[in-house]
Structures are given as C-alpha cells and as structure tokens.
C-alpha cells in the first residue's frame, strides 16, 4: 500500500492575470504528485489565468461569490471542503482569510495555512476604522492558524498586525524557471524590436506590470525623458501590461514624445519576447511584496532599477548588485540610475549577477521545495 498523498487546496479570490496567480499556477503545477494532490478554489471566478495551470490533475472550483464577507460564503467553502476532504487548506490574502478560516473550522479535518503577499489587510484605500477592524480580526484569526508569505517585508507587516512571533511565519520567496534557453533570446530580441520599430543599437528600458496606480509607471516616463539629454543614443520605454492607468500613460507618453518613445503593447501572455528586447528592467512601484516580474527580468539576464519597496533591496543588492535601488517616487534618483544604466559595461556587470542570483535563490524548484517541506511538516505535526 502506497504512502497517502497530502491533499492541498489553494484558495484565491480569482485567477486573474497577475504575479500571485502566476505563483499559484507554478505551485499547483510543480508540487510532487508522488507526495501531493492539488485543488484550487476560486471564491469569485476562475479567470483568464487558468491557462497557466497546465497540470491536468488539478481540480479548479469556481464558487461565484462576490466581494464582502458572508455566512453564505462560509457554507459554500465548507461544502466544497467536505467533498474534497483535504489535509491542508491554504488561503491567500485578506479577501480569503475569514471565509476560509470558518469553512475549515466547520469542516474540521484540515489544517488552515494563510499566506499574505504584498499589501496586507487588502486595499490601502480603505479607511482607518475599517483597517483597524480588519487588523483586530486578522490578529484573532492568525493566532490559530499557520502563516506564510513570499517576502520578509510582508512577514514584518504580518507580525506587527498579528503581534505574533516572526519565527511563526514561513517565508518562502517566489521562484521561477527561465521560459526560454539563453541561445533563443538574441533571435527573440531582434524580432520583437523589429515589431516595435526599434533598431538593434537603440537603448530600451521597460517593465512588465499591471498598469495601475501602485505601479507608478508615470515616474518611469518622466525620469527617462529627463535623462534623455545625457544619453547619446535614442531611448525607448516598453510598458507591457494593461490596466486602469492606460489612458493616463498614453497621454503622458504623448507629452514627452520628443524625448522618449513609449510603447504600450498591452497585456501579453508571454512577456519574455519583450523582456528579451529590453536592456534594463524598471520597477517604480509605491508598494510591493516580492515582484514576480523582477524575478522574470533577472532570469532573462536584465539589470534592474527598482524602488526601495518590499524586498527589492534584498533581491538585487545582496550580496552583490544586480541593479540599482532608488527611493520610492524619487524622480531625480531614478533619472540618475537610468543615466548610469546607459553605460553598456555597467549593464553587463549588473546583468551577470542578476541571472546568477535568480538561478541560485529565486528558481522554481527552490520555491516548490519550500512549500513541500512546509506542508509536510505541518501535516506531520497534526
């Protein structure tokens, strides 16, 4: 008789396109099938990112619940858990915490693990009273469950809110594998640049992100326009993604069209051809946990300029430099960093370490093994 596999149910609000959803897909695909069985519950809808889950044995369940806490949601989760009979239920972010907590308690046969990634307690736009209530609720719930996160900065936020010991939180960084071998990148670079109307010798900065306020991509346009007089070759900015700030970015790009050419190719299921076309990756976020796109950029051999939010400093400045870290929303500092990156020898130096660090620390196997060890330890102690 074989060893019983640990059944893990991953709970998310939706499987939209984003960094967390990419992590969910990587984890669902990557967990050892000799030791684990995987299901995914979407409280709202499954969403377009379902295509990232390529393993054919992962059951995807859509509950069709809308935002806002309700006992109906708890009942729906309980019913699904009773059918699936999992060993571990792993919820993600504030929007899934309470319903999963009560659903898992009612089911009674699974260990609840909660993961926070990026912004803790949901949107930063909620008022102080709501955040205070959420903090008290999270503090109450998280004393009774296991905790995990992908970033040390988020772990510190969680401990501050829950008043629990930092050692209780399993910090497992994001990880991924390069999507293409290195020898395919030059051809990909040439064809993507040709499609964008960018010549071989022109300098390209870029980013892959949801075009939202928190990503602060307007800063990249303004800073690169300010840097342009000091850079000898023509410069381009490629912003891959879609989101609510698209129209604003288009207007700002037109205002600076004489200094920098901005390309907005929209959302791309495969951003790697665009990463291959770039010379420098830029992350301007106001807030971040651990950027999945930054890891993809490092895997593609790109030097990085990043604002000092989340774990950016940990990712690209320790022990050597994979890029330049600047203060958040500091246009002058970002301008100077872009001017520095116009030097090809500087870019090569940063890029070499970026690729090495990604493959040593932020590879997919390391991330998956981290979760396998955590799940096994938790299940064994139950």
């Amino acid at each position: 008789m074989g060893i019983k596999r640990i059944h893990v149910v991953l709970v998310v609000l939706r499987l939209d396109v984003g960094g967390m959803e990419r992590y969910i897909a990587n984890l669902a695909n990557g967990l050892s099938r000799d030791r684990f069985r995987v299901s995914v519950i979407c409280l709202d809808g499954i969403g377009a990112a379902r295509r990232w889950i390529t393993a054919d044995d992962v059951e995807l369940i859509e509950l069709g619940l809308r935002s806002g806490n309700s006992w109906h949601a708890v009942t729906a989760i309980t019913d699904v858990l009773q059918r699936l009979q999992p060993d571990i239920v792993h919820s993600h972010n504030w929007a899934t915490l309470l319903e999963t907590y009560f659903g898992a308690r009612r089911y009674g046969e699974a260990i609840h693990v909660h993961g926070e990634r990026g912004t803790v307690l949901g949107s930063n736009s909620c008022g102080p009273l709501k955040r205070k209530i959420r903090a008290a609720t999270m503090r109450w719930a998280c004393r009774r469950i296991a905790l995990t996160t992908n970033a040390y900065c988020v772990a510190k936020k969680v401990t501050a809110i829950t008043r629990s010991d930092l050692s209780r939180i399993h910090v497992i960084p994001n990880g991924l594998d390069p999507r293409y071998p290195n020898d395919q990148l030059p051809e990909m670079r040439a064809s993507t640049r040709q499609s964008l109307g960018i010549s071989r010798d022109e300098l390209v900065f870029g980013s892959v992100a949801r075009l939202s306020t928190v990503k602060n991509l307007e800063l990249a346009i303004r800073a690169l326009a300010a840097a342009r007089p000091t850079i000898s070759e023509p410069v381009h900015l490629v912003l891959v993604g879609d989101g609510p700030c698209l129209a604003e970015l288009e207007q700002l790009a037109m205002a600076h069209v004489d200094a920098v050419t901005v390309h907005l190719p929209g959302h791309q299921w495969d951003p790697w051809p665009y990463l291959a076309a770039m010379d420098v990756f830029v992350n301007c976020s106001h807030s971040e946990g651990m950027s999945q796109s930054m890891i993809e950029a490092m895997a593609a051999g790109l030097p990085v300029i990043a604002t000092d939010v989340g774990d950016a400093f940990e990712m690209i400045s320790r022990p050597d430099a994979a890029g330049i870290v600047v203060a958040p929303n500091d246009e002058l500092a970002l301008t100077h960093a872009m001017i520095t990156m116009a030097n090809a020898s500087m870019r090569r130096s940063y890029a070499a370490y970026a690729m090495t660090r990604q493959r040593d620390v932020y590879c997919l196997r390391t991330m998956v093994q981290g979760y396998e060890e955590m799940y096994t330890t938790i299940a064994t102690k139950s």
Side-chain angles (χ1 to χ4, degrees):
M1 185 175 180
I3 298 173
K4 179 183 180 296
R5 293 189 298 168
I6 298 170
H7 187 180
V8 178
V9 171
L10 306 173
V11 183
V12 295
L13 182 61
R14 286 181 296 272
L15 273 180
D16 290 332
V17 174
M20 189 191 77
E21 291 76 14
R22 177 68 77 179
Y23 136 79
I24 290 287
N26 286 340
L27 185 58
N29 294 332
L31 286 171
S32 168
R33 291 314 193 259
D34 291 336
R35 298 163 54 198
F36 297 93
R37 176 185 164 199
V38 186
S39 303
V40 178
I41 297 176
C42 301
L43 300 190
D44 186 346
I46 290 176
R50 69 180 302 163
R51 64 185 292 174
W52 287 338
I53 299 179
T54 55
D56 58 11
D57 61 347
V58 177
E59 182 177 359
L60 297 176
I61 300 152
E62 180 180 75
L63 297 185
L65 305 170
R66 299 308 172 206
S67 59
N69 304 122
S70 71
W71 195 251
H72 170 67
V74 173
T75 301
I77 293 171
T78 305
D79 291 344
V80 173
L81 295 182
Q82 287 173 341
R83 177 177 69 81
L84 295 175
Q85 297 190 349
D87 303 290
I88 293 173
V89 182
H90 185 171
S91 57
H92 292 82
N93 290 344
W94 167 260
T96 69
L97 173 59
L98 287 181
E99 287 86 347
T100 304
Y101 174 81
F102 286 112
R105 294 277 288 187
R106 290 185 72 196
Y107 166 57
E109 300 295 329
I111 301 162
H112 183 189
V113 179
H114 181 68
E116 282 290 333
R117 305 171 66 85
T119 303
V120 181
L121 299 179
S123 171
N124 284 323
S125 62
C126 69
L129 179 58
K130 181 178 284 189
R131 287 188 67 81
K132 188 174 181 179
I133 294 171
R134 287 184 176 184
T137 305
M138 184 176 180
R139 185 159 53 246
W140 174 82
C142 287
R143 288 174 180 172
R144 296 160 171 80
I145 59 179
L147 299 171
T148 185
T149 184
N150 63 327
Y152 293 98
C153 66
V154 179
K156 291 176 181 176
K157 288 181 184 179
V158 172
T159 56
I161 292 167
T162 62
R163 300 174 189 170
S164 56
D165 195 283
L166 187 62
S167 62
R168 280 196 60 220
I169 302 177
H170 302 264
V171 180
I172 304 172
N174 290 345
L176 56 86
D177 288 338
R179 204 163 301 171
Y180 299 94
N182 287 348
D183 59 7
Q184 289 187 20
L185 295 182
E187 182 179 349
M188 201 176 290
R189 174 185 178 89
S191 62
T192 305
R193 283 189 168 219
Q194 183 178 27
S195 71
L196 294 171
I198 302 172
S199 71
R200 182 181 62 182
D201 298 325
E202 293 177 336
L203 182 60
V204 178
F205 294 80
S207 192
V208 178
R210 177 167 166 74
L211 306 184
S212 61
T213 302
V214 72
K215 297 300 181 180
N216 196 24
L217 291 166
E218 298 86 351
L219 183 67
I221 298 175
R222 295 196 304 268
L224 191 53
R228 177 65 186 92
T230 315
I231 300 174
S232 58
E233 63 264 55
V235 292
H236 297 258
L237 180 64
V238 178
L239 303 178
V240 180
D242 198 0
C245 292
L246 175 60
E248 182 180 346
L249 290 168
E250 288 175 334
Q251 291 177 2
L252 190 60
M254 288 301 297
H256 293 284
V257 69
D258 292 336
V260 57
T261 303
V262 179
H263 306 264
L264 293 156
H267 167 69
Q268 303 293 325
W269 281 109
D270 185 1
W272 276 69
Y274 293 87
L275 291 171
M278 298 175 192
D279 296 298
V280 182
F281 187 86
V282 182
N283 187 318
C284 302
S285 292
H286 290 303
S287 176
E288 197 80 69
M290 174 169 286
S291 169
Q292 189 87 354
S293 294
M294 274 176 58
I295 299 176
E296 286 187 327
M298 292 164 71
L302 289 177
V304 177
I305 302 173
T307 48
D308 191 7
V309 295
D311 274 15
F313 186 85
E314 178 78 22
M315 292 171 68
I316 68 173
S317 294
R318 291 181 178 176
D320 297 314
I324 301 172
V325 179
V326 299
N329 208 35
D330 189 333
E331 183 177 327
L332 182 60
L334 182 57
T335 299
H336 287 162
M338 288 174 161
I339 293 169
T340 299
M341 285 293 190
N343 183 299
S345 63
M346 293 293 292
R347 292 200 302 272
R348 284 193 294 270
S349 175
Y350 288 130
Y353 182 68
M355 187 174 288
T356 299
R357 180 142 174 84
Q358 186 275 319
R359 291 181 180 177
D360 288 348
V361 181
Y362 302 112
C363 69
L364 180 59
R365 192 62 232 158
T366 299
M367 183 194 83
V368 172
Q369 285 178 344
Y371 282 102
E372 288 178 345
E373 291 170 6
M374 180 188 72
Y375 292 147
T376 301
T377 300
I378 290 171
T380 302
K381 287 182 178 179
S382 66

